[in-house]
Amino acid sequence: MKLLSFALKNKNVSDYEIIQHQSKIMDPLVTVVTPVFNNAATIKKTIDSVLNQTLIDQIEYILVDDGSTDKTRSILLDYSSKHPNIKLALLKRNTGTPAFPRNLGIELARAPYISFLDADDWFELSGLEKLYRVLEETGDDYVVGKTVKIRTDGTSIVGEHESSTERRSVPPASIPHIFHHLGPRARMMKTRIIKDNNIQFPAMKFAEDKQFFMDVLACCKTISTTKEVIYYLNRQNENNGSLTSRTNVLDKMKCNQKVIRYFKEKELDSDIKKMILNRLFEFDCFTGFINRYHTLRTNSPTYKQKANDYMKRKAYTWTMKKTLKAANDLDYDITDHFFKPINKVCYELFKKGKYSEIEELFRWHAKEKIKSYHFLENKAFFITPLQDPYKYIQIPMYAELIDCIVVNDHIQLHIKAVGDDSACINELLLRNRQSQASEFIVQASVQNNGEGVLSLPIDWIHSLPKSIYTIYLRYNDYQKVQLHIPRLMESLKSAQHKNLHFYSTINQNLALKVK
C-alpha cells in the first residue's frame, strides 16, 4: 500500500494524506466521490454497493474522510488496503460541511465521468454501468436516473421528473422541473463540465448541493434521463444524525438567500435563470418554508410558550421578507412562473401582511385530506376556508372516477379529468405501495370534454404482484393526479373479481388490492 501526503491549496482547512493500494486502477472510466464523517454504522453498505458494481473494474472510488472520530476511519483503512479501486483521502481536521470533501474528490478525479454517493446511501448494483452506457451512447453531458427513498414506513420515488421516461439528448430547459430535487444522487456527468467551468460545492451546511448541480445543469448542452433504478436514498429514522436534519430551518433559509444572490448575479441564459430563480423562490420559500408557518402556534396556555410562538412567527416573517426582497429588482413577476397557484396566493397574502390568512390556508391544506372542489370552464378549484378573492384556488388537475364496470374479460374505468393539461394525459399508473419503484402502466387518454374509458384486462390485473396499488393518471410525462371518488359508488362492488378488489381509500381515492 502506497502512502502519499499533500498540502491543501486552501490553508484555512486541514492538510490531508492520500492512501491508495499499489495496484490502483490505471485508466478508470468513472470516478465515484463519497464524503465521510462518523458514518461507521452505514459506510460498509455504501462502499460495498460500489465495489459490487457491474462496472467495478473501471471505477475509481474516492472516499474523503472529514476527520471522523468514531470507527469510520479504521473501516476505511481496512477497505483501502484490500481494494485497488479505492483512493482514500484523510483530512486532519473536520471542515464542517460536505463541500470541501466533495471538491477535493473532484480535484483528485481521473476518470472522464464522475458520480457522487453519500456515506449512508447505496447504488443499485448495475446503476453506474447504466448511466455510463447512456453517456457513451449519446455523448450527452449529464444523465440522471431513478432514486428510491427508503424510510422505516416504506419507500417513495424522489424527483419523478428525473426518471419518469427515457429521454436522450434533450436541453435541460425542456424539463420544467429539472432544477428541483438536486441532491448528489443517481446522476453522472462529464468530469470536464465541472473542471472546465470551475464549478465547486460552496462551503455551506445546507443547499451546497443545490447550487452545485444548478451550476452543472446550466453548463450542459444536452442531457438524458432513464427510468432505471440507480440510487437508494437512506432516510430510515429520518437520518437524524445528518447535517441537513440538524440544520435549523431559519439557518437553511440563510443558505437559500446566499444561493439566490449567487444566481441573481451570475450571467446565464435568461430562460435558465428564470427556471432556477423560480425553483428557489417558489419551492424553497413557499413549499419548503412559509407553508410551515401554521405549525408555529401551539395550544400551550402558558405565557412563556405563547411568547415563544410569537417570536418564532416574527422570525419567519422577517426572514421571508428579507428573502423576497431579492425579487424586487427583477424585470418580471416571479409568480408568473410558479407551478402551484396556492403558492401564488400565498405570495399575494404575504405582500399584504395577511399572515393569519396564510396560517389558516396552510393549516387547512395540510389537515383537510378530503377537500371540496369547484369547477368552471374546464378548470378545477379548491374551495378554501378563506374569503373572496381567495375562496377558490385553482389546481393544475382534477380527476374523478365516474364508473367502474365489468365488460367481458375487462374492467372498464370511466373517468373525467378537469384542468388546463387534461389533453396531455397519457398514462394510467399503478404504483405498488410496498415497493414504489415497482409500477405498471396502461396507455390512457381523454376526449375533448375530459372524459375517457380505460379498459384493463382482468388476466393482466391478476398477473400483478400481490399488493395494494395507488392509482394515478399521469400527464406531461411525469406529473400525476389520483382518481377521486366523491360519492359512494355501488358499481365498485359489482366490479370486484376473484383476488382483485378496486376500492375507495379513506381519502376517497381509487386504489387496487391484488390478493
Side-chain angles (χ1 to χ4, degrees), residues 190-307:
K190 291 178 178 176
T191 308
R192 66 171 179 79
I193 289 289
I194 301 171
K195 292 188 175 183
D196 290 355
N197 293 284
N198 195 29
I199 300 172
Q200 292 192 323
F201 288 91
M204 299 188 296
K205 292 185 177 181
F206 178 77
E208 82 292 338
D209 46 4
K210 174 168 52 187
Q211 179 175 312
F212 177 87
F213 288 109
M214 285 178 170
D215 263 337
V216 169
L217 282 164
C219 292
C220 291
K221 292 182 179 179
T222 56
I223 67 172
S224 289
T225 70
T226 178
K227 296 163 64 174
E228 300 286 349
V229 175
I230 305 296
Y231 195 103
Y232 294 94
L233 182 68
N234 177 17
R235 289 296 180 265
Q236 298 179 79
N237 300 317
E238 286 306 311
N239 243 350
N240 291 326
S242 71
L243 185 60
T244 298
S245 66
R246 289 185 282 111
T247 304
N248 179 280
V249 66
L250 295 175
D251 290 335
K252 289 180 180 180
M253 279 302 291
K254 291 178 183 177
C255 293
N256 285 328
Q257 290 167 0
K258 292 179 181 179
V259 179
I260 289 171
R261 288 196 297 270
Y262 173 82
F263 282 108
K264 275 192 66 183
E265 297 168 2
K266 193 175 180 68
E267 291 292 328
L268 288 172
D269 172 85
S270 61
D271 290 337
I272 292 289
K273 194 168 196 172
K274 285 180 180 179
M275 290 178 72
I276 290 174
L277 290 177
N278 172 70
R279 180 255 149 94
L280 294 170
F281 282 117
E282 181 179 17
F283 187 81
D284 295 303
C285 295
F286 290 95
T287 303
F289 182 70
I290 203 64
N291 71 356
R292 301 180 184 180
Y293 187 73
H294 72 277
T295 67
L296 303 178
R297 190 189 301 273
T298 65
N299 294 323
S300 174
T302 68
Y303 174 81
K304 182 178 180 180
Q305 186 59 55
K306 288 182 178 179

Side-chain angles (χ1 to χ4, degrees), residues 139-151:
D140 288 339
D141 298 320
Y142 170 106
V143 61
V144 62
K146 185 168 293 181
T147 295
V148 180
K149 182 190 290 186
I150 308 293
R151 304 184 313 273

Side-chain angles (χ1 to χ4, degrees), residues 468-487:
I468 295 175
Y469 293 85
T470 304
I471 299 177
Y472 303 95
L473 287 179
R474 190 140 67 181
Y475 61 100
N476 290 337
D477 282 344
Y478 56 86
Q479 294 173 289
K480 63 186 191 300
V481 61
Q482 288 186 263
L483 281 165
H484 187 55
I485 305 176
R487 65 191 69 83

Side-chain angles (χ1 to χ4, degrees), residues 273-463:
K273 194 168 196 172
K274 285 180 180 179
M275 290 178 72
I276 290 174
L277 290 177
N278 172 70
R279 180 255 149 94
L280 294 170
F281 282 117
E282 181 179 17
F283 187 81
D284 295 303
C285 295
F286 290 95
T287 303
F289 182 70
I290 203 64
N291 71 356
R292 301 180 184 180
Y293 187 73
H294 72 277
T295 67
L296 303 178
R297 190 189 301 273
T298 65
N299 294 323
S300 174
T302 68
Y303 174 81
K304 182 178 180 180
Q305 186 59 55
K306 288 182 178 179
N308 187 48
D309 291 349
Y310 173 78
M311 294 305 296
K312 285 181 181 179
R313 294 197 300 277
K314 290 290 287 184
Y316 255 64
T317 54
W318 183 86
T319 301
M320 190 69 168
K321 283 180 181 178
K322 183 177 179 181
T323 306
L324 292 179
K325 189 176 180 181
N328 290 345
D329 59 350
L330 296 176
D331 60 0
Y332 62 93
D333 184 343
I334 59 170
T335 63
D336 288 343
H337 301 273
F338 279 11
F339 289 107
K340 297 181 178 180
I342 193 171
N343 288 331
K344 186 168 185 174
V345 168
C346 181
Y347 178 81
E348 293 176 7
L349 291 171
F350 192 87
K351 296 286 280 187
K352 295 176 181 179
K354 296 186 176 183
Y355 308 133
S356 60
E357 283 88 343
I358 293 174
E359 184 177 350
E360 183 179 10
L361 176 63
F362 281 111
R363 180 181 290 112
W364 164 83
H365 192 51
K367 295 185 176 181
E368 193 74 24
K369 300 302 181 182
I370 302 175
K371 296 179 171 63
S372 298
Y373 299 90
H374 174 72
F375 304 97
L376 180 66
E377 297 178 350
N378 197 39
K379 297 182 187 296
F381 301 81
F382 284 142
I383 302 176
T384 78
L386 303 186
Q387 299 300 311
D388 286 335
Y390 305 116
K391 184 175 182 61
Y392 303 107
I393 297 179
Q394 187 177 353
I395 58 177
M397 183 74 73
Y398 172 87
E400 183 177 308
L401 181 69
I402 300 173
D403 205 355
C404 179
I405 60 176
V406 177
V407 178
N408 298 325
D409 55 352
H410 287 66
I411 291 180
Q412 290 187 347
L413 303 178
H414 293 244
I415 64 171
K416 181 174 179 61
V418 178
D420 292 337
D421 294 326
S422 58
C424 299
I425 291 171
N426 61 325
E427 292 175 344
L428 181 76
L429 172 66
L430 285 72
R431 181 164 287 166
N432 190 328
R433 286 190 187 175
Q434 296 176 355
S435 176
Q436 293 282 304
S438 175
E439 57 185 37
F440 302 89
I441 293 171
V442 176
Q443 295 303 305
S445 62
V446 297
Q447 302 171 18
N448 291 336
N449 62 0
E451 295 186 9
V453 178
L454 308 181
S455 187
L456 309 180
I458 292 174
D459 286 345
W460 177 79
I461 300 174
H462 278 305
S463 72

